[in-house]
Amino acid sequence: MVFHIFRSRETRLRQQCREWFLAHRHRLLAYARQQADSMTDVELLLSETCRSVAQVFCRGGLPEPELLPYALRSIYHAAARQRARNRRRVDTEQAYARAEEPLRPVPGAEPDSGLEDVHVTLRALLRRLPPELAEVLTLRIWEELSFAEIGRRLGLPESTVRARHAGALQKMRTMLAEHNHAG
């Protein structure tokens, strides 16, 4: 009996929440579009806000007149977090793009293997790296594993994997610079 009462209350609250969102959907969507950089971000903002408002609504944490300002604040803060994530992602991608330099083939680096010059050069340089650095770089670049996945696979902390990756890239840059000056 108690379960039935609780279930009917939950069903009623869900229905009220759905009605509230239907009544305010245009305003929420317009505000999310103003705050977001792309339509994908708009969808993410709205889904995050819907979850947050539904939780508050079902807990009875706010009276209905205060739900709209709460939802708009939620969108605003979620958009700020999304912009920060996007900015970090773009900065990371640009850092990797700046780190890439045009490669010239290394003399004696398997020229008849049929691989492109870049791959031949990278393989030759990779063989010159210490094995622990070469392994991390191989897993990161060719197998496209995250730092956490590499750490789990090698039984290392993620910070160690990141440090080895950075060290490997730095050594590769140094070897490329030496090669370019020598060539």
Side-chain angles (χ1 to χ4, degrees):
M1 179 73 174
V2 173
F3 179 72
H4 178 68
I5 293 170
F6 178 73
R7 189 169 171 202
S8 65
R9 179 181 179 273
E10 182 180 330
T11 304
R12 190 172 18 86
L13 284 174
R14 280 187 184 169
Q15 181 60 33
Q16 288 173 341
C17 190
R18 233 178 270 123
E19 290 170 4
W20 185 87
F21 275 111
L22 286 174
H24 295 90
R25 70 182 180 270
H26 296 294
R27 188 160 184 199
L28 294 172
L29 180 61
Y31 189 69
R33 283 183 177 155
Q34 289 173 355
Q35 298 299 318
D37 297 331
S38 70
M39 284 308 291
T40 303
D41 289 348
V42 168
E43 292 173 16
L44 292 171
L45 294 176
L46 288 177
S47 66
E48 191 174 323
T49 300
C50 287
R51 276 191 302 276
S52 175
V53 170
Q55 287 174 350
V56 168
F57 193 92
C58 289
R59 279 184 287 156
L62 287 174
E64 192 169 327
E66 294 179 26
L67 278 176
L68 186 59
Y70 174 80
L72 296 177
R73 277 193 313 276
S74 294
I75 290 172
Y76 177 82
H77 292 295
R81 287 190 302 273
Q82 186 66 35
R83 278 192 296 277
R85 281 191 296 266
N86 288 345
R87 212 174 12 259
R88 282 192 302 272
R89 181 184 47 78
V90 167
D91 290 346
T92 301
E93 289 170 358
Q94 288 174 346
Y96 277 115
R98 281 191 303 270
E100 294 178 3
E101 300 173 10
L103 302 176
R104 287 192 273 157
V106 175
E110 305 171 6
D112 297 329
S113 67
L115 296 174
E116 294 177 23
D117 290 341
V118 171
H119 291 155
V120 172
T121 303
L122 287 175
R123 293 188 113 181
L125 293 175
L126 197 59
R127 281 194 297 271
R128 293 173 48 194
L129 284 176
E132 64 274 2
L133 298 181
E135 185 176 31
V136 167
L137 203 55
T138 301
L139 292 172
R140 178 72 176 162
I141 293 174
W142 279 281
E143 293 190 29
E144 298 179 353
L145 297 178
S146 69
F147 292 121
E149 291 169 329
I150 295 169
R152 280 192 296 276
R153 185 179 281 191
L154 300 178
L156 297 171
E158 186 176 340
S159 59
T160 302
V161 172
R162 285 180 184 275
R164 286 185 182 180
H165 181 261
L169 289 177
Q170 186 57 45
K171 284 190 183 275
M172 293 281 280
R173 283 187 201 108
T174 302
M175 288 188 289
L176 276 172
E178 290 170 0
H179 169 70
N180 288 336
H181 290 308

